[in-house]
């Protein structure tokens, strides 16, 4: 079994955070989209009762600055609205302050996702020109953000949801700019159901050997809601379900039985922030139902192997606090699991992530911990600039 992990002082390698976020600054879209689209592009409005709020698509959607800007805040201080860019940490959007926050938390490198547009390209509206312009504006901004420290910050390019041609075009642009991963919020053709029409995108991703990320909170059939409800009766069930895998399980099942992974056996799909404790139970039941139902459903002819084997081969996953997942790690592909902080959202324990690491990994073989904190992420994203050992 080897040495067991006991404390963070034993970690002599850089910790790679597989899922952190930026909180985009107020001028990202207003400064970058064409003038003709600026009135519909996201902008920040300061209000008397809700603080700073983001306005999308000319007011079709509204998001207050709140729970996604929570790093350093006590649980008692969590607020879904009422915050302003003057009061939240500069590390959310200012790159030098962000790097300082990483240093305080003991994090060497981060794979970054958006916050304001975390739900995906449909946040920007259904108009094709507007959505494409807003997607490119974010991608250009995060590229510049990461360029300030290219061996520590790695962004994901957002992919538009306006059709397969636009998805491939943005993927090709992102590859040309050096992005290590991309984020989709619908399938590449723009639908929330997988289709053979998506195959050119998947083939291009395989050719480039780039992971395609699916973040919780996306792939909703009706698209992003106009305004989030934050009453306890609404937010607590939603948060509990999403962090325990409830929202991602149906999506994974559809993908497993769509034929996608048979047509593209080397594609790399990453499930972000859904945690991992649910995976063994889901795969046990999926395998059982496959064996029972494969004949009358015709799946016996299209899926030549067990769904669990396909999952372990093609799908990676990130997690934060998941001691159940650690207990069940022998039922998972340990080489495909990656720990994350969720900085600066409410899931983060910044600046004390090392306390969380000690809690989650205590008693796990030290070699397995290294995989989840360093090796797996480095290998998936080909982070050759991240050293194998810390100096000293």
């Amino acid at each position: 079994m080897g040495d067991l992990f006991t404390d963070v002082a034993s970690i002599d390698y850089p910790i790679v955070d597989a899922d952190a976020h930026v909180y985009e600054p107020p001028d990202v879209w207003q400064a970058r989209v064409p003038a003709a689209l600026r009135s519909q592009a996201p902008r920040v409005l300061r209000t008397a009762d809700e603080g700073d709020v983001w306005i999308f698509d000319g007011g079709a959607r509204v998001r207050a600055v709140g729970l996604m800007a929570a790093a350093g805040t006590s649980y008692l201080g969590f607020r879904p609205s009422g915050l302003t860019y003057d009061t939240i940490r500069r590390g959310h959007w200012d790159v030098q302050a962000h790097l300082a926050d990483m240093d305080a938390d003991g994090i060497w490198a981060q794979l970054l996702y958006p916050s304001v547009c975390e739900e995906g390209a449909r946040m920007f509206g259904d108009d094709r020109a507007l959505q494409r312009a807003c997607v490119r504006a974010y991608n250009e901004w995060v590229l510049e953000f990461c360029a300030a420290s290219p061996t520590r910050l790695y962004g994901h390019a957002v992919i538009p949801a306006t059709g397969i041609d636009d998805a491939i075009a943005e993927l090709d642009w992102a590859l040309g700019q050096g992005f290590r991963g991309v984020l989709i919020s619908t399938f590449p053709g723009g639908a929330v159901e997988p289709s053979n029409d998506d195959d050119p995108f998947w083939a291009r991703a395989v050719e480039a050997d780039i992971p395609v990320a699916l973040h919780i909170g996306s792939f909703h059939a009706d698209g992003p809601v106009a305004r989030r409800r934050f009453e306890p009766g609404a937010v607590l069930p939603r948060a509990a379900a999403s962090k325990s895998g409830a929202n991602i399980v149906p999506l994974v099942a559809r993908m497993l039985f769509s034929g996608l992974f048979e047509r593209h056996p080397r594609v790399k799909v990453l499930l972000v922030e859904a945690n991992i404790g649910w995976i063994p139970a889901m795969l046990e039941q999926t395998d059982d139902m496959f064996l029972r139902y494969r004949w009358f459903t015709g799946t016996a002819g299209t899926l030549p192997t067990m769904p669990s084997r396909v999952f372990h081969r093609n799908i990676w996953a990130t997690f934060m606090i998941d001691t159940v997942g650690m207990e069940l790690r022998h039922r998972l592909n340990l080489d495909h699991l990656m720990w994350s902080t969720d900085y600066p959202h409410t899931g983060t324990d910044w600046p004390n992530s090392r306390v969380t690491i000690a809690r989650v990994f205590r008693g796990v073989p030290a070699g397995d911990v290294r995989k989840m904190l360093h090796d797996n992420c480095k290998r998936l994203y080909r982070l050759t600039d991240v050293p194998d050992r810390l100096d000293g």
Side-chain angles (χ1 to χ4, degrees):
M1 178 178 289
D3 295 336
L4 299 181
F5 177 82
T6 56
D7 58 71
V8 293
S10 66
I11 297 175
D12 59 355
Y13 47 84
I15 296 174
V16 183
D17 179 358
D19 168 32
H21 297 260
V22 292
Y23 199 93
E24 301 88 321
D27 63 345
V28 168
W29 290 280
Q30 290 298 311
R32 294 172 183 266
V33 302
L37 299 172
R38 211 161 287 160
S39 64
Q40 298 298 111
R43 59 188 174 88
V44 173
L45 176 67
R46 181 153 296 180
T47 68
D49 54 346
E50 288 193 280
D52 286 351
V53 298
W54 277 93
I55 307 296
F56 298 85
D57 196 13
R61 297 180 185 86
V62 178
R63 294 285 192 277
V65 174
L67 297 178
M68 289 187 175
T73 303
S74 161
Y75 295 171
L76 300 175
F78 284 173
R79 300 173 65 187
S81 63
L83 305 180
T84 71
Y85 274 87
D86 297 329
T87 59
I88 63 177
R89 293 191 63 79
R90 289 190 61 84
H92 297 7
W93 78 90
D94 177 272
V95 67
Q96 295 305 322
H98 187 96
L99 290 167
D101 281 357
M102 290 170 60
D103 291 340
D105 211 22
I107 303 299
W108 176 276
Q110 287 181 333
L111 279 300
L112 295 172
Y113 292 89
S115 293
V116 175
C117 58
E118 182 193 56
E119 291 185 50
R122 290 181 297 174
M123 284 292 296
F124 302 124
D126 295 327
D127 179 81
R128 180 172 178 249
L130 174 65
Q131 188 180 129
R132 292 176 67 204
C134 290
V135 162
R136 180 60 60 85
Y138 170 80
N139 289 342
E140 289 177 343
W141 174 80
V142 79
L143 192 68
E144 293 172 8
F145 184 90
C146 294
S149 188
T151 64
R152 298 186 68 189
L153 302 173
Y154 303 91
H156 287 78
V158 172
I159 298 298
T162 50
I164 188 65
D165 292 339
D166 291 343
I168 294 173
E170 196 66 19
L171 172 60
D172 283 336
W173 177 86
L175 293 171
Q177 300 299 316
F179 278 95
R180 306 299 182 94
V182 296
L183 174 65
I184 61 174
S185 55
T186 66
F187 287 102
V192 294
E193 296 291 337
S195 167
N196 291 9
D197 295 339
D198 300 325
D199 281 356
F201 179 92
W202 297 118
R204 185 72 184 94
V206 168
E207 178 186 11
D209 192 25
I210 192 170
V212 179
L214 289 64
H215 200 287
I216 61 168
S218 58
F219 280 82
H220 296 306
D222 298 330
V225 298
R227 184 187 287 267
R228 285 287 188 191
R229 290 173 53 225
F230 285 105
E231 297 87 350
V235 70
L236 280 173
R238 183 173 70 233
S242 64
K243 291 301 176 68
S244 57
N247 296 335
I248 204 76
V249 168
L251 178 59
V252 170
R254 296 199 301 273
M255 295 180 75
L256 288 175
F257 293 115
S258 70
L260 161 64
F261 299 116
E262 284 64 59
R263 297 191 302 275
H264 306 282
R266 293 189 296 116
V267 74
K268 297 176 179 179
V269 170
L270 173 59
L271 309 178
V272 186
E273 207 177 314
N275 292 308
I276 59 175
W278 56 271
I279 295 175
M282 185 265 188
L283 293 182
E284 179 179 44
Q285 300 307 316
T286 301
D287 280 351
D288 180 66
M289 297 315 298
F290 167 69
L291 293 175
R292 296 174 186 275
Y293 285 6
R294 56 182 164 152
W295 303 112
F296 83 84
T297 62
T299 314
T302 59
L303 185 58
T305 189
M306 298 292 281
S308 58
R309 184 172 184 272
V310 175
F311 185 103
H312 292 319
R313 182 189 68 197
N314 291 100
I315 297 179
W316 281 250
T318 75
F319 65 98
M320 297 174 294
I321 296 174
D322 201 330
T323 57
V324 173
M326 288 302 96
E327 292 179 7
L328 296 175
R329 65 188 182 278
H330 61 285
R331 303 284 297 267
L332 297 159
N333 182 349
L334 194 66
D335 293 333
H336 285 196
L337 308 179
M338 302 179 295
W339 178 81
S340 62
T341 67
D342 195 37
Y343 173 100
H345 298 177
T346 53
T348 189
D349 287 324
W350 184 93
N352 294 319
S353 290
R354 283 165 284 202
V355 176
T356 301
I357 288 172
R359 169 189 171 189
V360 172
F361 294 110
R362 180 168 286 115
V364 175
D368 292 353
V369 176
R370 179 188 168 105
K371 286 185 176 183
M372 292 179 277
L373 292 180
H374 177 84
D375 293 342
N376 295 344
C377 203
K378 183 174 178 178
R379 184 181 304 112
L380 176 64
Y381 289 97
R382 293 172 286 133
L383 305 182
T384 55
D385 292 331
V386 175
D388 290 326
R389 294 285 177 184
L390 293 170
D391 293 335

